[in-house]
Amino acid sequence: MNMQEYIDEAEKALLHTYNRYQVVLDKGDGVYLYDIEGKKYLDFVSGIAVFALGYNNKEYNDALKAQIDKLLHTSNYYYNVPAIEAAKKLKKVSGMDRVFFTNSGAEAVEGAIKAARKYAYLKDGKTDHEIIAMNHSFHGRTFGALSVTGNPKYREAFEPMIGHIKFADMNDLESVKAKVTDKTCAVILETVQGEGGIHPAEKAFLEGVRGICDEKDILLILDEIQCGMGRTGAMFAWQKYGVKPDIMTSAKALGCGVPVGAFMMTERVAASSLTSGDHGTTYGGNPFAAAAICKVLELYEKEHVLENVNEIAPYLEGKLDSLVEKYDVIETRRGVGLMQGLIFKEPVAPVIQKALENGLILINAGTNIIRLVPPLIISKEDVDHMTEILDSSIKNSI
Ligand SMILES: *Cc1c(COP(=O)(O)O)cnc(C)c1O
């Protein structure tokens, strides 16, 4: 079948929940993807902040193949070595004390919410606790995660959500204070908002929220599913701010292609929160998924991923700023590290379409924002190459 025939088949078989780009991807290598007709694309999306190590990393692939031949799965009623190793490594890089592995980001958020509610329940025996989330946030599509997602469009048709959620504004401490009551059990936010349009938290805001939480014994949940795992130049974005959460979530680049997630907490929270029988998962943290996490964390060190982000990010920012200068239609740039957004004055779909035709994969975050979340191993040459294609795509589409 040719590409169009595959796309037609897809549209007959898959539920239509995505408006997909008209391309069937076949294989990847480094920072490049190839479609089934052999066309090569420079990838500045990395499966939405997933493939941090680039495609077809030999050591990563070999580790997964070896684990397949050994043991793919065992129930969480038994211990397995990769999960033990993955938890130890994750504790070390995060500074958190306890880990629960999930299959996805949304599930990590579900677990984090349950942990916060249980913590509050054990304090007063009540079941009317409130959570404060942010407008323009994104935490996933399952009911708990959707309930704290600050985009009414995503929620409306599926009401009622889980109850007692209030929304405040990111980087507006007063708006958070105004929502705090005696019933507030947690504040949840993305350290850098991703889907909502690349909005980094301001340091004073994050410190302020931490202060409110400390004062009232409210738990701070930081969602690091997109902005974590080195994307901002620190292993987790909050480490850049020096504001430690009580509970945090990770996913996306945590598995670099294998579907995994995790929520983690401090010992203080773990000591009076979820306990035996409160939460579970069949697949979460199985030996295969855990082997992926182990190898990812090992390769981050070995391949100096954070160093590369910190070296390349200012270069990327410079190149993007030159596009902001050059084109009236671009309002500004926002972002941290290799998580950047170009904010346009009009819809960016035509630019992304043109870029795709020109061999560059980009994605939006909202209608007017081009989001750049490339593999974390990109070089300056890759940035130059991207800038060239993006430049001509803007020129020829707007
Ligand atoms: C992608 C994302 C999620 C959801 O993760 P899934 O693996 O798609 O369930 C949650 N929070 C943030 C910040 C994300 O970017």
Side-chain angles (χ1 to χ4, degrees), residues 34-158:
Y34 297 82
D35 69 22
I36 55 167
E37 290 170 355
K39 181 172 167 183
K40 186 178 176 180
Y41 303 85
L42 177 62
D43 177 24
F44 263 62
V45 176
S46 55
I48 312 199
V50 167
F51 253 95
L53 295 166
Y55 300 97
N56 206 20
N57 181 299
K58 183 165 186 326
E59 226 184 298
Y60 172 82
N61 290 1
D62 287 347
L64 293 186
K65 288 173 194 166
Q67 190 60 47
I68 286 172
D69 288 336
K70 225 174 163 185
L71 181 65
L72 266 177
H73 179 78
T74 173
S75 158
N76 275 312
Y77 280 106
Y78 313 96
Y79 298 100
N80 75 78
V81 175
I84 297 165
E85 290 298 324
K88 269 169 55 186
K89 282 182 198 293
L90 205 48
K91 277 180 61 172
K92 184 156 169 257
V93 294
S94 68
M96 305 301 282
D97 300 313
R98 303 240 169 212
V99 181
F100 184 102
F101 291 116
T102 66
N103 307 292
S104 69
E107 284 170 84
V109 173
E110 297 290 329
I113 292 172
K114 279 180 74 176
R117 278 190 169 182
K118 180 73 192 289
Y119 178 88
Y121 172 78
L122 287 177
K123 279 199 299 186
D124 64 12
K126 294 192 177 140
T127 54
D128 58 354
H129 298 107
E130 299 167 354
I131 296 174
I132 299 173
M134 298 298 133
N135 288 314
H136 305 297
S137 63
F138 182 83
H139 298 290
R141 303 294 197 148
T142 52
F143 269 101
L146 191 58
S147 299
V148 291
T149 288
N151 184 340
K153 255 196 347 219
Y154 288 171
R155 297 194 310 259
E156 186 179 318
F158 310 102

Side-chain angles (χ1 to χ4, degrees), residues 18 48 103-109 138-142 145 190 192-195 223-227 249 251-252 260 339 371:
Y18 283 89
I48 312 199
N103 307 292
S104 69
E107 284 170 84
V109 173
F138 182 83
H139 298 290
R141 303 294 197 148
T142 52
E190 298 156 84
V192 181
Q193 286 187 340
E195 304 293 323
D223 182 344
E224 292 258 347
I225 289 167
Q226 187 161 161
C227 64
T249 58
K252 291 197 163 95
V260 296
M339 182 170 181
R371 168 172 35 168

Side-chain angles (χ1 to χ4, degrees), residues 317-330 342 386-388 390-392 394:
E317 288 177 353
K319 290 285 174 180
L320 295 176
D321 286 341
S322 70
L323 292 176
V324 177
E325 286 281 301
K326 183 168 174 184
Y327 291 102
D328 260 1
V329 68
I330 312 179
L342 275 180
M386 180 282 295
T387 309
E388 221 170 278
L390 179 54
D391 191 341
S392 80
I394 297 169

